[in-house]
Amino acid sequence: MTIWKSLAQIPIKHPLAFGVGISTIKTSASDLLVQVVVEKKQEIDWKRNAAFATFGCFYLGGVQYAIYVPLFGRLFPNAAAFAAKPIREKVRDVKGMAALCGQVFLDQFIHHPLLYFPVFYGTREMVMSDKPDLVRAMTTYQQNMKEDLAALWKVWVPSMMVNFAFMPMWARVPWVAGTSLLWTCILSAMRGGDVAHNTDIEAPFPTGSTLTLVQEGLDEIFASPVDLDRSLAHICISGAGPDKIGHVATMARCVSDAGGNVTHSKMIRLGQEFTTLMHVAIEPEKRGDLIKSLRNNKDLKLLNIRASSLTRRQTGSFKSTVVGLKIHVVGPDRPGMLASIAETIARRNMSIEDVTTEIRRGKYGQRDFVVTAEVVTTEPMDREKLDSFHAEFQNLKEELNLSVVDIRVHM
């Protein structure tokens, strides 16, 4: 117990050293997480890791400590006393609440736009570029400023409200470091083998791209792949014909009554035409009854129902898949977008397993064309080939004025 009490006094007695240590370890750990989990490197780039650890030590630990503790302590002398008050007393303390808002404002609207992000973009340029160019780094920040700051405020304004409202002075920097590490862990877990956004994931604070990554990641948590259980029969059922209310309900009821389960389906109405494609898992002895029920149902006569058995792989020429890629592209709608994207994939001798396209309302009312493709190849994809493939899509991004290019690897 005595040892624990002594350890508990370290951050209070030595807040600067504690904050610097936590920030250094956190930033180094974040970069290691990205290198191992996201980039799947066989060998750690310790030089890069040292650069990020240095940034965490001197800026996140040292500079931010100077801002959050001595500077803010002088500008807001009652901040520490306010943080120690119970919530009921905080709500009644008008001056304390005003000081809280003042600290958040200075931190989020002055410190980060004018100091933190320029230092971060400059550091990233020095670390990631063979020929560092600080002018280019500041130009990149200027281009990304609007989205970066919007992302920062959505995540960090609530976090810093908690920080300044409840954390004692010595805990302010560790709180920021902990939130930042959690953010990086979430990104790394969601983005797996992301090719296109590695530099965004490395950011201790969110950029505009990282907020998009989290949204896409959350959307995919609820996606369910087709599970080809070998103990069941698997049927691909398709139908196309004049649209009519009740088509989906009728087909789903036929499957259910036969004891089948729809695991994956796509249904769409184009003008007056309705098209459906579904995967059904069912006990082998009930397969014939299901197909007969669908074909003989009078309400489905106009749909021209077709059914075929599925095995693990019957399409294409691949006997085994080495690498799978998921490609997600968004940009202003224009003719030829899908053709350009498919041609870029085909040039790499990759097979498109699944592709979905849609028109979506984008920012400022523009029509965005969205392409999501599942791609596989039997050719080994080392880092050089992945970077080359990504570079082709970056060229396509400029050519087609795309707003999102997301390439993820599934080994």
Side-chain angles (χ1 to χ4, degrees):
M1 186 64 70
T2 304
I3 296 176
W4 171 249
K5 288 183 178 180
S6 299
L7 292 174
Q9 291 299 311
I10 292 177
I12 300 174
K13 293 181 178 180
H14 309 283
L16 176 57
F18 183 72
V20 168
I22 289 293
S23 297
T24 303
I25 294 171
K26 183 276 304 180
T27 310
S28 175
S30 295
D31 179 61
L32 288 175
L33 190 69
V34 171
Q35 291 195 45
V36 174
V37 178
V38 180
E39 298 177 0
K40 300 184 184 297
K41 287 190 173 184
Q42 298 298 319
E43 295 184 6
I44 300 297
D45 185 344
W46 292 109
K47 181 179 179 180
R48 179 181 114 175
N49 186 257
F52 275 93
T54 302
F55 176 71
C57 175
F58 288 101
Y59 187 87
L60 301 182
V63 174
Q64 287 194 155
Y65 176 85
I67 292 173
Y68 292 150
V69 181
L71 179 59
F72 277 22
R74 292 179 182 178
L75 293 175
F76 306 95
N78 297 321
F82 178 79
K85 290 182 177 181
I87 295 178
R88 184 174 297 178
E89 292 185 24
K90 282 186 172 71
V91 175
R92 297 174 181 174
D93 189 345
V94 177
K95 291 184 178 180
M97 295 295 289
L100 169 63
C101 295
Q103 291 176 86
V104 173
F105 176 82
L106 288 178
D107 180 54
Q108 295 294 304
F109 296 89
I110 304 296
H111 165 216
H112 283 94
L114 302 182
L115 184 59
Y116 172 81
F117 271 120
V119 173
F120 169 70
Y121 273 91
T123 301
R124 192 171 72 175
E125 178 72 17
M126 297 295 290
V127 171
M128 305 303 297
S129 300
D130 295 331
K131 296 180 180 179
D133 185 344
L134 293 179
V135 174
R136 178 175 59 195
M138 294 305 101
T139 300
T140 302
Y141 172 46
Q142 185 178 11
Q143 294 171 345
N144 297 342
M145 180 182 289
K146 184 177 180 180
E147 291 186 356
D148 284 358
L149 292 178
L152 176 82
W153 294 332
K154 289 176 183 178
V155 175
W156 284 89
V157 166
S159 175
M160 298 312 286
M161 290 289 286
V162 173
N163 195 13
F164 295 137
F166 298 100
M167 295 298 114
M169 288 296 186
W170 63 265
R172 287 187 168 189
V173 172
W175 172 268
V176 173
T179 307
S180 174
L181 179 59
L182 179 61
W183 174 261
T184 305
C185 289
I186 291 171
L187 282 172
S188 293
M190 286 184 169
R191 304 315 293 178
D194 195 325
V195 176
H197 296 94
N198 289 337
T199 53
D200 296 303
I201 292 175
E202 289 158 10
F205 283 89
T207 63
S209 296
T210 57
L211 200 63
T212 300
L213 302 189
V214 167
Q215 182 59 53
E216 292 172 357
L218 289 173
D219 291 342
E220 291 187 2
I221 285 176
F222 303 99
S224 298
V226 174
D227 180 15
L228 296 185
D229 185 338
R230 294 185 180 183
S231 66
L232 299 175
H234 298 273
I235 311 171
C236 176
I237 300 172
S238 63
D243 183 41
K244 178 184 176 181
I245 293 175
H247 276 333
V248 176
T250 302
M251 292 183 69
R253 175 52 59 191
C254 286
V255 172
S256 178
D257 289 346
N261 181 37
V262 178
T263 65
H264 191 75
S265 64
K266 292 185 179 180
M267 306 174 188
I268 187 171
R269 180 178 65 83
L270 299 174
Q272 297 302 313
E273 293 294 306
F274 175 79
T275 301
T276 181
L277 184 68
M278 64 172 61
H279 167 269
V280 175
I282 192 170
E283 294 179 10
E285 61 271 17
K286 297 180 179 179
R287 175 184 180 279
D289 292 338
L290 171 58
I291 294 175
K292 185 184 297 185
S293 173
L294 289 168
R295 289 177 175 170
N296 293 339
N297 192 296
K298 62 179 182 179
D299 293 326
L300 299 177
K301 288 293 185 182
L302 296 178
L303 275 189
N304 187 26
I305 298 292
R306 298 183 62 185
S308 58
S309 297
L310 294 176
T311 58
R312 278 194 173 273
R313 185 177 180 86
Q314 290 293 324
T315 60
S317 58
F318 298 156
K319 293 183 179 179
S320 62
T321 299
V322 175
V323 179
L325 301 175
K326 181 167 184 178
I327 301 169
H328 181 64
V329 172
V330 181
D333 183 33
R334 57 183 288 183
M337 287 182 67
L338 180 59
S340 298
I341 293 166
E343 288 167 354
T344 301
I345 295 170
R347 280 196 296 270
R348 294 290 178 139
N349 196 31
M350 295 178 175
S351 172
I352 297 179
E353 297 288 282
D354 182 83
V355 62
T356 302
T357 65
E358 63 175 315
I359 298 294
R360 182 187 301 168
R361 183 176 297 277
K363 293 181 179 179
Y364 313 114
Q366 73 180 18
R367 286 162 50 94
D368 277 347
F369 187 67
V370 183
V371 179
T372 303
E374 298 278 356
V375 179
V376 297
T377 176
T378 54
E379 299 178 2
M381 295 286 285
D382 56 20
R383 188 71 221 179
E384 183 177 351
K385 289 184 178 180
L386 286 173
D387 288 343
S388 175
F389 183 66
H390 178 226
E392 282 196 59
F393 266 87
Q394 287 301 111
N395 293 334
L396 200 64
K397 182 177 182 179
E398 295 182 8
E399 178 184 335
L400 300 178
N401 191 29
L402 303 175
S403 58
V404 174
V405 171
D406 177 16
I407 303 174
R408 194 185 316 175
V409 181
H410 300 284
M411 305 301 289

